[in-house]
Amino acid sequence: MDYKARLQRARTALVEKRLDALVVTHLPNIRYLCGFSGSAGALVLTGRNSIFFTDGRYTEQAHQEVLAATIRIRKGKSALAAATEWLGRQASLRRIGIDGLHLTIAERNVLAKSLPRDAKLVEAPPLIEQLRMVKDIDEVAKIRAACHLGVDLFKRVVKVVRPGVRESELAGALEFEARRANVDQMAFPTIVAAGPRSALPHGRASGAPVPPRGFVMFDFGVILAGYCSDMTRTVHVSRAQAEATRVYEAVREAQQAALERVKPGVAVGEVDRAARKALKNSSLGKFFTHSTGHGLGLEIHEAPRVAAGQDEPLRPGMVITIEPGVYLPGRYGVRIEDTVVVTETGCEVLTPCSKQLVTI
Ligand code: ZN
Ligand code: ZN
């Protein structure tokens, strides 16, 4: 990972926003900029300096991971308190950017108390999130590896689906295999939703058994070497009746229509619109109750949102999910989700796994 280049891009963004400094406190932003993967730290950027602050627990880890920024460790002080102390001594800094999305009011007050007299805190736009939106080659490789592992895990777990097996057992089997494959952790609580529970868009695995007939939805992600995967497949136990097959095929076509819309220059809202239009044509539009997708990377939900009205243009290197779904309350639901990376001409599906209706 080229942290020096990232820090340089962040500094350019500071200058554009007329900020003398930026206090980065959101851990994924810190990891992106300087490589630190621990759970406590603060990074201060100025026109000349990149200084990473952490506490005594992370002395060794910081020296292993943070090579492009200066490391400051103040024993017995939190990272933010140490950063504050340092900022308090920099008389030349006037406009100090903070991240309003991630800093608590208490933390803001700590910072405000010790600033030099002429300095003021400014709520900065999400500058680092903007940089993170377009992935570099190393990041795409890591996300691809995480997604390919996800496909592999799905293929294994689908073999143990049968009536009577509890959702939690299926989630457990999947997560056990993920651990064996050295994931850092799951990217979010694994969704396994069988029968009528598949109508819950976020049906976390429960103790409910797989019924003798119906859909089973799997939506899960791993974090491998810091980067997330995300995919959803919905399979059917016993032969699907005509209506269920029709709903499945409608979702599959909507997902395909959205995938085909992905290419540089197209607004993300257009991708959402393609999925929505396809489901409307199948008279299922009103059962598609969420947005079409989201960016992912170090976090499972990142910019851009692939949703109605969003005008962010797609650029090569953006990684997004395409996940339309249809949910018939009390009956069943179907969702199909792929993670893709935008290429020069379209996209590469990072979760290559059949989307034909699988009957178990
Ligand atoms: Zn998902
Ligand atoms: Zn997703």
Side-chain angles (χ1 to χ4, degrees):
M1 302 279 177
D2 191 351
Y3 296 111
K4 278 215 165 95
R6 292 180 187 176
L7 286 165
Q8 195 47 52
R9 284 200 293 277
R11 285 212 193 81
T12 307
L14 282 195
V15 173
E16 278 167 14
K17 300 291 170 200
R18 294 187 304 111
L19 294 170
D20 299 315
L22 181 67
V23 183
V24 184
T25 48
H26 185 49
L27 289 165
N29 286 344
I30 292 174
R31 184 167 188 169
Y32 177 77
L33 290 171
C34 73
F36 180 71
S37 67
S39 63
L43 180 68
V44 176
L45 304 179
T46 70
R48 268 183 303 182
N49 296 299
S50 315
I51 307 178
F52 173 67
F53 298 87
T54 187
D55 62 64
R57 293 171 298 165
Y58 288 112
T59 306
E60 195 177 337
Q61 186 176 343
H63 284 100
Q64 281 168 3
E65 294 179 339
V66 181
L67 304 175
T70 308
I71 299 166
R72 289 274 163 88
I73 294 164
R74 291 277 284 125
K75 294 250 160 65
K77 275 212 158 103
S78 76
L80 192 67
T84 305
E85 203 177 78
W86 185 85
L87 283 164
R89 293 197 301 269
Q90 312 304 312
S92 62
L93 304 178
R94 296 284 180 274
R95 285 166 51 83
I96 299 174
I98 52 170
D99 182 353
L101 285 176
H102 299 292
L103 204 67
T104 66
I105 292 174
E107 288 167 336
R108 187 201 172 282
N109 292 344
V110 166
L111 272 169
K113 232 188 286 177
S114 349
L115 289 187
R117 200 153 14 105
D118 299 329
K120 73 170 186 189
L121 294 178
V122 182
E123 188 178 336
L127 300 174
I128 312 305
E129 279 84 351
Q130 291 283 327
L131 297 180
R132 283 170 51 197
M133 203 155 57
V134 175
K135 274 69 184 174
D136 55 40
I137 278 178
D138 294 339
E139 293 185 289
V140 172
K142 288 196 162 162
I143 299 169
R144 186 184 289 113
C147 286
H148 286 187
L149 172 61
V151 170
D152 192 46
L153 295 172
F154 173 73
K155 286 180 178 166
R156 286 163 192 241
V157 77
V158 101
K159 291 189 186 138
V160 286
V161 176
R162 60 177 189 277
V165 176
R166 284 181 287 126
E167 293 169 354
S168 53
E169 290 176 75
L170 294 172
L174 189 145
E175 293 180 7
F176 181 66
E177 290 296 330
R179 271 290 182 194
R180 281 166 53 106
N182 272 335
V183 302
D184 306 342
Q185 61 184 82
M186 301 310 286
F188 54 90
T190 299
I191 291 171
V192 180
R197 291 191 79 254
S198 59
L200 305 171
H202 269 185
R204 284 186 190 174
S206 74
V210 171
R213 180 191 291 271
F215 283 115
V216 185
M217 181 188 291
F218 290 86
D219 183 355
F220 66 97
V222 299
I223 305 180
L224 184 65
Y227 282 83
C228 295
S229 76
D230 194 3
M231 71 180 278
T232 305
R233 289 293 183 273
T234 307
V235 300
H236 201 276
V237 176
S238 303
R239 241 175 77 94
Q241 279 156 350
E243 185 210 54
T245 305
R246 187 181 81 81
V247 168
Y248 185 90
E249 290 305 325
V251 172
R252 190 158 72 107
E253 279 163 27
Q255 205 258 355
Q256 189 60 35
L259 275 180
E260 283 168 13
R261 203 73 188 88
V262 176
K263 68 169 187 214
V266 173
V268 281
E270 288 298 313
V271 177
D272 180 87
R273 203 214 299 258
R276 227 162 275 287
K277 193 174 139 203
L279 285 171
K280 212 172 271 172
N281 290 345
S282 316
S283 310
L284 291 167
K286 70 172 172 178
F287 301 109
F288 175 24
T289 47
H290 52 74
S291 52
T292 294
H294 52 90
L296 68 81
L298 286 167
E299 292 180 276
I300 186 65
H301 290 123
E302 296 187 358
R305 283 183 57 221
V306 185
Q310 295 290 312
D311 55 11
E312 183 73 44
L314 290 169
R315 280 176 274 163
M318 281 184 173
V319 175
I320 57 171
T321 68
I322 307 285
E323 51 179 304
V326 162
Y327 311 91
L328 306 178
R331 298 182 61 210
Y332 59 82
V334 174
R335 178 167 65 251
I336 300 172
E337 173 183 27
D338 282 317
T339 297
V340 307
V341 57
V342 182
T343 61
E344 295 293 338
T345 52
C347 68
E348 173 194 343
V349 175
L350 298 176
T351 43
C353 180
S354 171
K355 290 175 262 190
Q356 303 279 351
L357 179 55
V358 171
T359 303
I360 288 158

